[in-house]
């Protein structure tokens, strides 16, 4: 059985006191679904968030990391640093990092290798832009993003990987992929894995959808057979909305 996961990507939001407040609010919510819950605060708030959720059913994850072991990379954070404060999962390949920080399939492949070498779990993000979808190229783009960053791995590595399909045109725009568009792409992603790695890897893979998921649309999106959860941006910044999404399973 694959896992259901709802992860909140806080992006560059919430200073320390806002983080404290949101976590206090999150802890007041009750979970009625079996979904794993994750939150991804900024680097400066990871330690606080980890300590504050130690006894709770909430995993604290990082939004990014560097691939190097250590060295002269001013401003960067590596896997050992994350692990040393208890963080075991990292989001890699978010479209905002690809667009604004020049992350490429090649640099992401190195980050994937580094995270796996440190036995970290990865939420690997990818997705097409609006022009790709309009041109009917979404499967070609998504297929190449997955192949270029992940297909050098052994099948066994995929037990530490969660995939997150986030069409760029649906992120922060209020425009969601329809449940059918999400299902079609998730089925394609699973098929892509199946072709390379076989049924066991494909069936076990948790594939999240991200892009304007809200309490009002989560249930319908999550009802699709190949959608195993969500990566939530804006709606993850309000505890009630986030848990309404968690409980949409
Ligand atoms: P929104 O939910 O704000 O569209 O953001 C989605 C996202 O980018 C999550 O990583």
């Amino acid at each position: 059985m694959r896992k259901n996961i709802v992860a909140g990507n806080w992006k560059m939001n919430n200073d320390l006191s806002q983080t404290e407040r949101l976590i206090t609010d999150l802890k007041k919510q009750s979970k009625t679904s079996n979904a794993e819950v994750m939150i991804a605060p900024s680097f400066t708030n990871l330690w606080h968030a980890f300590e504050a959720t130690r006894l709770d059913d909430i995993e604290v994850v990082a939004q990014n990391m560097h691939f190097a072991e250590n060295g002269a990379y001013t401003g960067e954070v590596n896997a050992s640093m994350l692990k040393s404060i208890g963080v075991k999962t990292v989001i890699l390949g978010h479209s905002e990092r690809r667009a604004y920080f020049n992350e490429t399939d090649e640099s992401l492949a190195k980050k994937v290798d580094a995270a796996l070498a440190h036995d970290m779990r990865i939420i690997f993000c990818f997705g097409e832009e609006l022009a790709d979808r309009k041109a009917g190229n979404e499967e070609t783009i998504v297929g190449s993003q997955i192949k270029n960053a992940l297909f050098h791995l052994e099948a066994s590595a995929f037990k530490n990987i969660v995939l997150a399909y986030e069409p760029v045109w649906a992120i922060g725009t209020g425009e969601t992929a329809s449940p059918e568009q999400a299902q079609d792409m998730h089925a394609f992603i699973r098929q892509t894995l199946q072709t390379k790695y076989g049924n066991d890897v494909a069936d076990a893979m948790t594939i999240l959808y991200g892009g304007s998921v809200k309490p009002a649309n989560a249930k319908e999106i999550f009802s699709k057979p190949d959608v195993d959860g969500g990566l939530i941006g804006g709606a993850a910044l309000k505890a009630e909305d986030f848990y309404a999404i968690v409980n949409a399973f």
Side-chain angles (χ1 to χ4, degrees), residues 9 11 94 96 166 170-173 210-214 231-235:
N9 176 8
K11 308 190 180 186
H94 194 281
E96 287 148 18
E166 298 204 304
I171 295 178
T173 58
S212 299
V213 179
K214 306 276 182 256
L231 185 54
I232 318 300

Side-chain angles (χ1 to χ4, degrees), residues 9 11 13-14 33 49 79 89 99 101 107 122 135 153 157 159 171 186 190 200 213 222-223 225-226 238-239 247:
N9 176 8
K11 308 190 180 186
N13 293 295
N14 292 332
S33 76
T89 301
F101 302 99
S107 65
I122 298 163
L153 299 172
K159 67 181 186 315
I171 295 178
H186 283 223
R190 211 177 293 288
D200 288 354
V213 179
F222 293 169
S223 71
D226 286 298
K238 269 202 178 154
N247 292 332

Side-chain angles (χ1 to χ4, degrees), residues 102-163:
N102 305 319
E103 296 205 353
T104 61
D105 292 345
E106 291 67 37
S107 65
L108 287 167
K110 290 192 204 171
K111 291 188 177 200
V112 164
D113 290 344
L116 293 175
H118 285 268
D119 207 21
M120 292 186 76
R121 181 153 70 152
I122 298 163
I123 300 177
F124 186 76
C125 307
F126 49 84
E128 82 283 1
E129 302 198 17
L130 185 57
D132 303 322
R133 182 155 285 262
K134 282 192 167 153
N137 288 337
E138 64 272 18
E139 290 189 353
T140 311
I141 296 291
V142 162
S144 71
Q145 287 171 326
I146 293 173
K147 286 172 194 160
N148 292 342
L150 301 178
F151 274 17
H152 62 288
L153 299 172
E154 302 282 336
S156 60
F158 283 82
K159 67 181 186 315
N160 284 326
I161 296 178
V162 169
L163 298 178

